[in-house]
Amino acid sequence: MSRRVITRETNRIQVVLDYDSDREGSSAATVTDVMADAIDQPEHLPLRRCLDDLDRLVGLKRVKAFIHEIYAWLEVGRRRMAAGLSAEQQVLHMIFTGNPGTGKTTVARIMSQLFKEMGVLDKGHLVEVERADLVGEYIGHTAQKTREHIKQALGGILFIDEAYSLARGGEKDFGKEAIDTLVKAMEDHKNEFVLILAGYSMEMDRFIHSNPGLPSRFPIHLDFPDFTIDELVDIADRMAKERQYRLSNPAKEKLRRHLLKEMRSTHPFGNARYVRNLVEQAIRLQAVRLLNARYPTRDDLMSIRAEDLRFAQTSSPTFSWYT
């Protein structure tokens, strides 16, 4: 059963998206259907651009439905102001949870552009950092480094990956100084930037509840589920096509069998990052196979065969447009 919980504080709406897997499609489709008739109208061009980027991504139905909601709220807020009605400015800081390769960074980048188009953010850029970028080596150094990245992010989104690592060292660790600096900046620069904390679901839950003041400061929680086997094969197929290659049917079947095995035995699984690693390796191995071919055809140059797919004993993640 799907569940949507909303609790109200002053100028804040707490949103928790929690769908059962068998209801994910129907819940997301409801919002999409409502917006479908509107997005082709000229005044909804920002949403159209955002959806064009989202449509390149496989899956993520819940996330796409949420972005529809955010756009609708921003647009109706504009109309309320034009009509002389109040339009409260909600806090948009977010928690993204999920395994690597499930699209968290990509969605954050798309959101930053949408917020710029809608006038929520001045610049709409994304500043991506991790613990090493924020935590210094001596007292005061961490606050300085953190403030520098906050300054860079003003007008855009500050995205902190594996944010839970900031609290791993306990009270005496400099990571706590980074958290305190971030919390202060959220008050000092209210509505000047959006802070997104990302990481594994269990670790992020422990982290966010380790500080009593954190949960209420992040009213939006989005979970990025692992991709299904069909979605992963689709992602591989799209990645190949983007590079003007195509996977043969035997190659797809070989890939499917391998991914099923990896999904069952590897935790956490690398999702689209791992798939991209396999596709890029297959392209290199195809080149080795064709190197001594005297007259390869266009089809030869484009085709990735089953023999071009080779699998190591352990997965090796790489960078991807699903990060």
Side-chain angles (χ1 to χ4, degrees):
M1 179 178 181
S2 63
R3 175 168 60 90
R4 188 170 186 270
V5 181
I6 301 180
T7 59
R8 293 188 178 272
E9 300 176 29
T10 305
N11 294 330
R12 177 176 287 120
I13 291 182
Q14 179 81 7
V15 179
V16 179
L17 297 180
D18 181 14
Y19 301 101
D20 289 342
S21 58
D22 60 340
R23 293 292 301 278
E24 175 184 342
S26 60
S27 300
T30 301
V31 179
T32 305
D33 291 343
V34 170
M35 297 298 295
D37 293 336
I39 58 178
D40 290 329
Q41 300 176 20
E43 62 267 30
H44 297 301
L45 183 59
L47 179 61
R48 179 71 269 163
R49 290 172 178 164
C50 179
L51 291 180
D52 286 343
D53 290 335
L54 285 172
D55 286 342
R56 294 180 57 248
L57 308 182
V58 175
L60 301 178
K61 293 179 181 178
R62 290 176 285 182
V63 176
K64 293 174 183 179
F66 172 74
I67 290 181
H68 281 176
E69 291 182 14
I70 286 288
Y71 173 80
W73 167 68
L74 292 171
E75 179 60 26
V76 171
R78 278 179 170 184
R79 297 178 186 181
R80 286 178 59 87
M81 292 180 66
L85 299 171
S86 65
E88 65 179 33
Q89 195 162 13
Q90 298 176 13
V91 175
L92 292 174
H93 303 305
M94 309 179 193
I95 300 290
F96 284 5
T97 56
N99 286 327
T102 50
K104 297 185 292 295
T105 306
T106 300
V107 169
R109 189 174 294 113
I110 292 172
M111 280 186 171
S112 69
Q113 291 302 311
L114 177 64
F115 290 161
K116 178 185 178 182
E117 295 267 10
M118 298 300 296
V120 177
L121 297 174
D122 294 334
K123 299 179 182 178
H125 62 299
L126 183 74
V127 176
E128 184 180 356
V129 298
E130 55 187 19
R131 176 187 166 94
D133 299 307
L134 302 177
V135 178
E137 300 175 356
Y138 50 84
I139 296 175
H141 189 210
T142 294
Q144 178 186 346
K145 292 181 68 176
T146 303
R147 282 194 294 265
E148 288 174 354
H149 284 97
I150 293 169
K151 184 177 180 180
Q152 293 174 17
L154 292 180
I157 291 179
L158 179 60
F159 183 91
I160 305 179
D161 198 16
E162 297 185 359
Y164 51 81
S165 63
L166 295 174
R168 276 183 172 170
E171 289 293 320
K172 296 182 179 180
D173 183 72
F174 290 143
K176 184 178 182 298
E177 187 178 355
I179 296 172
D180 294 340
T181 304
L182 289 166
V183 169
K184 185 176 186 301
M186 293 166 73
E187 294 297 329
D188 294 346
H189 301 285
K190 192 174 183 179
N191 302 321
E192 293 183 59
F193 77 109
V194 171
L195 178 60
I196 298 179
L197 305 183
Y200 297 118
S201 299
M202 292 181 62
E203 285 86 346
M204 287 302 298
D205 185 63
R206 285 194 292 266
F207 166 66
I208 206 69
H209 289 96
S210 67
N211 185 319
L214 285 180
S216 62
R217 296 180 186 276
F218 294 90
I220 300 170
H221 292 203
L222 287 179
D223 182 62
F224 289 68
D226 287 340
F227 292 105
T228 66
I229 184 62
D230 288 337
E231 289 172 341
L232 289 171
V233 174
D234 188 12
I235 288 169
D237 196 41
R238 293 189 186 200
M239 287 179 174
K241 288 179 179 177
E242 285 179 357
R243 295 158 177 78
Q244 293 189 314
Y245 289 89
R246 59 170 171 264
L247 296 171
S248 68
N249 289 332
K252 289 182 183 180
E253 285 305 312
K254 183 177 181 179
L255 177 63
R256 178 183 293 271
R257 291 193 299 270
H258 173 73
L259 291 175
L260 281 170
K261 180 180 177 182
E262 285 293 306
M263 291 169 70
R264 292 168 182 157
S265 62
T266 305
H267 300 283
F269 178 59
N271 286 281
R273 288 187 185 181
Y274 182 59
V275 168
R276 174 170 178 150
N277 193 33
L278 293 178
V279 170
E280 292 184 342
Q281 177 182 258
I283 289 173
R284 296 193 300 270
L285 293 175
Q286 185 241 37
V288 172
R289 175 170 58 82
L290 294 177
L291 183 61
N292 294 323
R294 297 190 62 183
Y295 304 108
T297 65
R298 179 182 174 87
D299 185 68
D300 291 334
L301 294 169
M302 294 180 64
S303 180
I304 301 295
R305 300 178 183 176
E307 63 195 273
D308 300 322
L309 287 168
R310 299 179 190 174
F311 310 119
Q313 294 299 315
T314 58
S315 59
S316 176
T318 187
F319 293 106
S320 171
W321 40 267
Y322 279 101
T323 56

